[in-house]
Amino acid sequence: MKFNKTLDKIKTYEAGKPIELVVREFGIEPDQVVKLASNENPLGTSPKVAEAIRANADKAHLYPDDSMFELKASLSRRFGVPEESLIIGAGSDQILEFISRAKLNEESSVLMSRVTFAMYSIYALQQGARILRTEDYRHRPDEFIPMMQAHRPDVVFLCTPNNPTGDATSREDLFAIIEAADPETLVVVDGAYMEYAAAKDPAYRIDPAEILRYPNAVYLGTFSKAYGLGGMRVGYGIARPEIIQALMKLRPPFNITTLSLAAAIAANEDEAFVQKSLQIHRQELPRYEAYARERGFEYIESYTNFITWLFDEERNSSEIADALLRRGVIVRDLASYGMNALRITIGTPEQNDRLFSAMDEVLG
């Protein structure tokens, strides 16, 4: 059977391995598996979110409010942006799909860093667009600006903090790149991990309202990380109303569920849970940095809820990841990104103890 020829250029996205897979393949009890591969919130979900889900469970047979009025009003208050500048997606990556469908075709090009979120290129390739990448994984103006001037890409993806590396782009550098873009280039600022960067250093904090200064930029955020709703799939985009209106034409009706909507509304109002999550992260991240130094390998300074450990030729990230998996510890191998590295979610103290103990066994 023949399919769209653009599919020949696309590799299937590789998600983090689920706990169920480890249970099936290695016979390890579920409560003995530690998942540190997908950057989920190790504290789980806010009690207020759990309460909202229970309170709305008897509405699961009803379609959600497709206007998403209450969630948009809550986000509007949180960020100080007009409600008409908001769009809600089934995860922020659904909005990435809308953007690619709205802007790209076989004559288009997109620009991104050398190592960044895989779905940028996957969605672009689905539209037949050409992928342009910088030499560095960091979002450097001295690389992005000359390439924008030379190629005039239709879309530029700026992921800060960057996934899967964990570095972040300063406010100064980010705005320099946006201001250098052609007016017809849509600049996408993906802030999925922004809560962590903002808490670490104000120089890396990007407020979505600031993006509204630009008629050709859009900010993406998610409830999957700091807000603990990875399983509910809710994200949002913030841009000038004319951009939102174009993207809304691609949004299917009822694109998030009744329970997801209730959960996101409750999560957005529970700042105390987010602050507790950030506190645990600040407490535990230095342990990963110290472990890398003690074991003699490098790491990328993290502005996210994960850290990227870098290995030399004497250590192989794929072999280490497999050995950890057999010990019930799931991490993300970055070999598919061309890196001899592991991306590890910063877990609870107990989860991190398990990771360090398993690493000691693996490294010997």
Side-chain angles (χ1 to χ4, degrees):
M1 181 179 291
K2 294 182 179 180
F3 294 96
N4 191 318
K5 64 180 181 181
T6 60
L7 297 182
D8 295 338
K9 301 178 181 179
I10 300 173
K11 294 182 179 179
T12 303
Y13 180 77
E14 180 184 341
K17 290 181 172 61
I19 291 173
E20 293 80 4
L21 180 145
V22 180
V23 172
R24 288 194 306 269
E25 291 196 2
F26 303 110
I28 302 173
E29 292 298 318
D31 61 355
Q32 295 300 307
V33 179
V34 176
K35 186 183 180 187
L36 300 174
S38 299
N39 307 332
E40 295 138 329
N41 192 319
L43 297 185
T45 296
S46 158
K48 293 183 179 180
V49 168
E51 181 181 342
I53 293 172
R54 286 192 295 269
N56 286 272
D58 62 350
K59 299 177 184 176
H61 64 294
L62 300 175
Y63 289 117
D65 171 12
D66 196 49
S67 73
M68 303 180 197
F69 170 79
E70 192 174 351
L71 178 55
K72 288 182 179 179
S74 182
L75 286 167
S76 175
R77 291 191 298 270
R78 173 179 158 195
F79 293 125
V81 300
E83 292 176 31
E84 58 267 27
S85 286
L86 284 156
I87 184 172
I88 308 300
S92 56
D93 47 341
Q94 185 181 44
I95 304 172
L96 288 171
E97 181 184 10
F98 298 161
I99 289 168
S100 293
R101 289 170 59 196
K103 283 288 291 180
L104 302 177
N105 55 47
E106 293 182 354
E107 298 178 356
S108 304
S109 65
V110 300
L111 175 61
M112 64 193 74
S113 75
R114 179 173 64 86
V115 180
T116 193
F117 186 40
M119 292 308 300
Y120 302 152
S121 60
I122 289 175
Y123 285 135
L125 289 171
Q126 288 175 0
Q127 301 304 121
R130 183 166 58 104
I131 309 299
L132 305 171
R133 295 184 185 270
T134 59
E135 290 293 322
D136 202 327
Y137 64 80
R138 294 168 293 182
H139 293 72
R140 294 170 42 180
D142 63 348
E143 286 194 317
F144 269 85
I145 293 175
M147 290 190 72
M148 288 193 302
Q149 293 171 339
H151 300 283
R152 295 192 179 278
D154 296 86
V155 177
V156 174
F157 291 106
L158 305 176
C159 188
T160 182
N162 193 25
N163 177 23
T165 55
D167 63 297
T169 307
S170 71
R171 294 168 50 81
E172 180 182 359
D173 285 353
L174 186 89
F175 292 134
I177 294 172
I178 296 175
E179 289 166 7
D182 185 273
E184 289 301 316
T185 295
L186 183 61
V187 182
V188 181
V189 179
D190 188 346
Y193 298 90
M194 183 53 64
E195 290 83 1
Y196 299 94
K200 180 171 183 173
D201 189 341
Y204 294 86
R205 178 190 182 108
I206 308 299
D207 293 315
E210 297 177 284
I211 299 301
L212 296 184
R213 298 200 305 250
Y214 304 102
N216 61 332
V218 57
Y219 180 94
L220 302 184
T222 184
F223 286 97
S224 295
K225 309 304 177 186
Y227 286 81
L229 295 188
M232 302 303 284
R233 310 306 300 126
V234 186
Y236 52 88
I238 299 175
R240 294 275 188 94
E242 53 269 29
I243 294 177
I244 297 300
Q245 289 166 11
L247 299 181
M248 286 291 288
K249 294 178 180 180
L250 297 167
R251 185 187 73 88
F254 312 116
N255 61 318
I256 66 172
T257 71
T258 297
L259 297 184
S260 295
L261 184 57
I265 292 167
N268 198 53
E269 300 292 340
D270 192 357
E271 186 61 26
F273 175 79
V274 175
Q275 291 305 316
K276 183 178 180 181
S277 301
L278 296 174
Q279 181 181 358
I280 290 288
H281 173 261
R282 286 193 296 267
Q283 168 190 312
E284 293 297 306
L285 176 60
R287 298 180 64 193
Y288 280 82
E289 297 170 337
Y291 188 92
R293 290 192 295 267
E294 291 165 4
R295 283 291 187 165
F297 51 83
E298 297 182 356
Y299 60 87
I300 297 173
E301 184 178 5
S302 175
Y303 291 81
T304 65
N305 66 342
F306 63 84
I307 190 169
T308 298
W309 280 347
L310 306 170
F311 302 109
D312 58 23
E313 62 276 3
E314 296 180 1
R315 293 176 171 133
N316 182 281
S317 64
S318 299
E319 293 176 359
I320 295 173
D322 183 66
L324 289 173
L325 192 66
R326 295 172 184 277
R327 289 166 171 80
V329 179
I330 311 172
V331 299
R332 187 64 181 267
D333 176 26
L334 298 186
S336 62
Y337 287 86
M339 300 180 72
N340 185 24
L342 295 179
R343 189 192 71 184
I344 308 173
T345 307
I346 308 302
T348 63
E350 296 76 18
Q351 290 174 325
N352 299 332
D353 288 344
R354 281 284 310 280
L355 179 280
F356 296 136
S357 177
M359 278 293 291
D360 285 342
E361 294 180 10
V362 172
L363 298 179

